[in-house]
Amino acid sequence: MTSLPIAVIGAGIAGIACARDLAAAGHAVRLFDKGRAPGGRVATRRASLPDGTTLRFDHGAQYASARDPAFAAALRAAGAAPWPDATRFVGTPGMSALGRALAEGLGIETLRDVRAIEGAPGAWMLRHYDASLLRPGRPVPTGVEARVDGPFAAVAVTVPAPQALPLVADLSGAVGSALRDIEISPCWTVMAAFPDRLALPDWLRPGDGGTLGWAAREGGKPGRDGAIESWVIQAGPAWSRQHLEETPEQVGPALVDALAARARSPLPAPLHLAAHRWRYALVERALGRPCLWDPAARIGAGGDWCLAGRVESAWESGRALAAAIMAG
Ligand SMILES: Cc1cc2nc3c(=O)[nH]c(=O)nc-3n(C[C@H](O)[C@H](O)[C@H](O)COP(=O)(O)OP(=O)(O)OC[C@H]3O[C@@H](n4cnc5c(N)ncnc54)[C@H](O)[C@@H]3O)c2cc1C
């Protein structure tokens, strides 16, 4: 076993699964994420009403389906509860609790945006920055200092494929060219709270290719405080793509209108309305194998985009990547 640590970039479910298996096998692992907390797209957003009431919205993954009993067991151990049926699970009291619990003991370095992998195979260095000083996809502003960490025996990149590409393209031709084929669609997600209960079921997925992709009442899920009528409303992929560059102020009312159309009556004016754009949300064209690993470069990549846009696929990919790294 090598004495140098292994770096994992991205503490979404794939990165967490990869780091857990490496650590369990006795490897030193360092896990970096540009976000404030582990979990990636398995996330919960908090908001406050003017009277101080806290609202919570699962604005990313709505649930994790678990076909593999071992994954179901890991979810249960992380405090997940079945919803909306016995094969699907939500974190309690919110989806973000899953990432926190699954990553327990891994010592994640949060708010670190990795912008470059430097050095040579077997002795890689990571150049990373305080994520709160950077804007996604934009060059590093002058005056923001880098931290360079390493050397690392291997690097596992578990971020969405389009974000992995600039990190690895010059270091592994094989990994880089596979990443170019992946397609991931965006998703506009609206978080809305209302003064009254809406005349709608706890969740709906119209499946008609229209504006609305999915909507769910937060209080309908287990372990939530349902005092305030709060909804997550997701646009379908085609609508999200068409309206990608619109502002949250434009998208919020449009998706509330789409929900009102389902309720077949106007909705009360929201107490709270916000929108989040997931630029890389749902996998449309996957790799078709569980991970990428270049043994000569000692660089690998994984994530949901390897198999399918599902939390369980991210988990499976992260575990496969750990196994590939350990196999050499
Ligand atoms: C709106 C929405 C709804 C969804 N609904 C469902 C659902 O109901 N059921 C389901 O199974 N799946 C759902 N999914 C998909 C599911 O969330 C993903 O498949 C899964 O969470 C992907 O995990 P991941 O680890 O591959 O990637 P991510 O969760 O994207 O994790 C990648 C991590 O890398 C970090 N990162 C990125 N770049 C860098 C960098 N340069 N430096 C450091 N860190 C970096 C990010 O901050 C992030 O934490 C949904 C996704 C979205 C967006």
Side-chain angles (χ1 to χ4, degrees):
M1 188 176 300
T2 172
S3 54
L4 289 182
I6 296 166
V8 179
I9 306 172
I13 299 302
I16 293 170
C18 181
R20 275 169 60 117
D21 281 5
L22 292 170
H27 291 272
V29 184
R30 287 182 65 185
L31 182 50
F32 298 84
D33 199 287
K34 67 181 180 181
R36 288 178 189 282
R41 279 170 273 166
V42 178
T44 306
R45 172 76 59 85
R46 280 171 184 242
S48 295
L49 292 180
D51 69 0
T53 307
T54 302
L55 306 172
R56 285 187 184 80
F57 300 92
D58 294 330
H59 65 307
Q62 296 299 290
Y63 51 75
S65 32
R67 296 176 192 173
D68 173 8
F71 183 55
L75 289 175
R76 280 201 201 88
W83 184 88
D85 55 42
T87 63
R88 296 182 274 182
F89 294 85
V90 289
T92 55
M95 288 299 280
S96 62
L98 289 182
R100 273 200 309 277
L102 291 169
E104 207 177 305
L106 290 175
I108 300 164
E109 297 172 56
T110 53
L111 282 176
R112 299 312 305 175
D113 190 328
V114 180
R115 288 293 174 105
I117 304 169
E118 300 169 345
W124 291 118
M125 308 292 291
L126 298 191
R127 177 175 292 271
H128 54 100
Y129 297 84
D130 179 342
S132 65
L133 304 176
L134 267 52
R135 293 193 51 204
R138 297 282 173 83
V140 178
T142 346
V144 176
E145 282 192 21
R147 217 154 75 197
V148 180
D149 262 316
F152 295 104
V155 181
V157 185
T158 62
V159 309
Q163 295 173 318
L165 188 60
L167 289 174
V168 305
D170 295 340
L171 309 178
S172 168
V175 174
S177 71
L179 288 171
R180 284 190 187 88
D181 285 339
I182 311 297
E183 278 177 28
I184 303 182
S185 64
C187 180
W188 268 113
T189 299
V190 164
M191 295 153 273
F194 300 94
D196 307 308
R197 191 175 166 87
L198 310 185
L200 286 164
D202 278 351
W203 62 274
L204 47 149
R205 174 183 276 140
D208 56 5
T211 307
L212 199 64
W214 160 273
R217 171 182 284 118
E218 289 297 321
K221 303 175 191 171
R224 269 68 173 172
D225 168 8
I228 304 280
E229 176 77 347
S230 306
W231 281 77
V232 161
I233 314 165
Q234 295 171 353
W239 195 94
S240 295
R241 200 172 270 122
Q242 245 171 32
H243 299 262
L244 191 62
E245 300 309 333
E246 286 184 6
T247 62
E249 292 71 25
Q250 291 170 305
V251 169
L255 290 194
V256 168
D257 284 351
L259 190 64
R262 288 278 146 184
R264 296 206 173 83
S265 72
L267 304 185
L271 302 170
H272 169 84
L273 186 60
H276 179 83
R277 177 180 58 193
W278 294 98
R279 195 173 278 280
Y280 304 112
L282 301 165
V283 178
E284 294 210 325
R285 188 160 68 207
L287 178 68
R289 43 201 164 107
C291 68
L292 294 167
W293 170 242
D294 181 335
R298 301 209 55 77
I299 288 202
D304 63 343
W305 48 267
C306 289
L307 296 169
R310 300 168 55 238
V311 179
E312 187 171 18
S313 303
W315 177 261
E316 202 180 328
S317 172
R319 297 202 66 185
L321 182 52
I325 293 171
M326 290 190 280

